[in-house]
Amino acid sequence: MEPNIKTHEILSFPNNYTILDLETTGLHVEEDFIIEVAALKIRKSEIAGQFQTLIQCPLSITKRIETLTGISNKMLVGAPQFSSIASELTSFIGDDIIIGHSILFDITFLTKELEAMMPLSLENSYVDTLPISQKLLPELVHHRLKDMAAYYKFDTQHAHRAMADCKMNYQVFEAMKTTILHSFGSYNNFCSKWNTLSKRIKAETIVPLKHSFDRAHPFYQKKFVITGALSYLSRKEAMQEIANLGGLNMDKLNTTTDFLILGNNEYCDLLTKMSIKQKKALRLIDEGYSIKILSELDFYELLPFEKHMLTPTQG
């Protein structure tokens, strides 16, 4: 069962807030667990406090996650369980606006854990720095946290540890605030132009950034259509990943389409709310055409993906 998210997204540029970041055993909230929590309290745009701990979990950490995060099973021996730090963490966050890169991922995992610990809950407003970076700097190929830190020339050496990512995210957010004021004159000007800052991407404009491909990869020479808003990549970035693997992007779904990728929110509502492309794909499948429908997370499983390396919000 999906966690009951009580937080809500806002577009804001506060000087007082809490940066939040988690490391987990994987991407699926139903079957994966938190292995590290970090939070950074910001007051008047300066670091005023921090919270960090490893977390015991019932799963064994895979080699992939250990390589990515540097967190091993041995490191979690003797670490507290989430239940023993939950009250301290929620007290640290308080009523602050929560800020993070693809922050809904972290909020979803926290909500799952907190639902078993009533009356503790997370109902704060949150700001996702990912869509801000996508709107602010649309010319960049990727908007992953590490990419944005590199763009602003911040240290990325310890990326994928929770506190290091919190500090990176803090630097990126403050740098973007400065960029917005320089480019738009005020936060209000930026916000008022929010809906016109991105343009619809045409498939023909996406070309691979490499010249050789793994012909055994399931995406090679396959035709892709994307429908709905992705949670962790902009549409342009997702299309670029496809092209870089030798796949072929399409604007419209037809009988030659091999894969339809559904924005994660649409996939969850598949039985009750379908896009025109979804309905068409299901009709063509019934007629015998071999179109495969992938959820957003299924799509990511076939990419060299981890939470902070894809532009993990919507484009």
Side-chain angles (χ1 to χ4, degrees):
M1 180 182 295
E2 286 286 324
N4 180 23
I5 304 298
K6 297 180 181 179
T7 57
H8 59 281
E9 185 173 10
I10 60 173
L11 180 59
S12 180
F13 301 93
N15 294 320
N16 298 330
Y17 55 89
T18 292
I19 295 278
L20 179 68
D21 189 85
L22 309 179
E23 301 302 331
T24 65
T25 58
L27 300 174
H28 299 274
V29 68
E30 298 90 349
E31 57 196 56
D32 287 303
F33 293 89
I34 299 168
I35 55 175
E36 187 175 34
V37 179
L40 203 61
K41 188 172 290 293
I42 309 300
R43 291 294 179 265
K44 297 181 179 179
S45 297
E46 298 290 338
I47 297 174
Q50 60 184 50
F51 176 97
Q52 181 182 22
T53 183
L54 292 170
I55 301 290
Q56 274 192 41
C57 78
L59 291 185
S60 179
I61 295 174
T62 64
K63 197 66 180 177
R64 175 177 174 273
I65 295 299
E66 181 177 345
T67 300
L68 172 66
T69 64
I71 299 173
S72 65
N73 289 296
K74 185 177 181 180
M75 291 170 63
L76 298 188
V77 175
Q81 295 185 348
F82 183 85
S83 58
S84 69
I85 62 93
S87 179
E88 185 181 359
L89 174 63
T90 54
S91 294
F92 182 87
I93 296 171
D95 296 327
D96 274 7
I97 294 173
I98 296 172
I99 292 180
H101 212 67
S102 285
I103 188 61
L104 191 57
F105 176 94
D106 306 83
I107 287 172
T108 301
F109 269 85
L110 277 183
T111 299
K112 180 189 79 168
E113 297 291 348
L114 290 172
E115 281 180 341
M117 300 173 196
M118 297 295 288
L120 294 180
S121 65
L122 206 62
E123 301 182 18
N124 308 55
S125 302
Y126 69 86
V127 175
D128 194 334
T129 53
L130 173 61
I132 295 173
S133 69
Q134 291 169 340
K135 298 283 189 179
L136 181 61
L137 300 166
E139 69 275 13
L140 299 186
V141 174
H142 291 296
H143 295 260
R144 299 166 292 201
L145 179 58
K146 191 173 180 179
D147 296 316
M148 295 305 298
Y151 173 81
Y152 284 112
K153 297 181 169 43
F154 298 132
D155 181 20
T156 62
Q157 183 178 358
H158 300 291
H160 306 302
R161 286 301 301 269
M163 181 52 73
D165 285 347
C166 278
K167 290 180 178 178
M168 225 190 307
N169 209 161
Y170 156 65
Q171 291 175 309
V172 166
F173 181 61
E174 291 297 330
M176 288 196 299
K177 286 166 64 176
T178 299
T179 302
I180 287 168
L181 289 177
H182 176 77
S183 300
F184 294 86
S186 71
Y187 300 134
N188 285 340
N189 286 344
F190 177 75
C191 294
S192 68
K193 295 177 181 178
W194 179 261
N195 291 327
T196 62
L197 288 175
S198 62
K199 298 179 181 179
R200 189 165 186 83
I201 305 300
K202 294 291 185 182
E204 63 190 30
T205 66
I206 306 297
V207 296
L209 301 178
K210 55 195 294 188
H211 301 292
S212 60
F213 308 99
D214 176 5
R215 295 179 178 234
H217 194 281
F219 287 6
Y220 181 70
Q221 290 298 289
K222 293 296 191 290
K223 296 180 179 180
F224 286 80
V225 172
I226 300 173
T227 185
L230 301 176
S231 299
Y232 303 107
L233 283 179
S234 68
R235 182 167 298 202
K236 179 180 179 181
E237 290 165 334
M239 294 169 75
Q240 189 66 64
E241 294 287 342
I242 291 166
N244 289 346
L245 290 167
L248 308 171
N249 290 290
M250 305 172 66
D251 292 318
K252 296 182 179 180
L253 186 140
N254 59 38
T255 57
T256 69
T257 302
D258 295 295
F259 291 97
L260 174 65
I261 300 170
L262 303 183
N264 202 35
N265 56 329
E266 291 199 53
Y267 190 77
C268 293
D269 293 335
L270 184 58
L271 296 177
T272 58
K273 183 179 179 182
M274 297 183 186
S275 69
I276 293 174
K277 289 177 182 175
Q278 286 174 267
K279 292 179 180 178
K280 185 174 182 179
L282 291 173
R283 177 173 57 80
L284 290 175
I285 290 170
D286 286 341
E287 293 175 5
Y289 293 96
S290 57
I291 300 172
K292 294 181 180 179
I293 298 177
L294 297 179
S295 74
E296 181 176 2
L297 290 180
D298 289 337
F299 170 57
Y300 293 155
E301 290 292 345
L302 296 171
L303 298 178
F305 168 82
E306 60 269 351
K307 176 170 68 95
H308 293 306
M309 289 193 66
L310 286 181
T311 60
T313 294
Q314 297 78 350

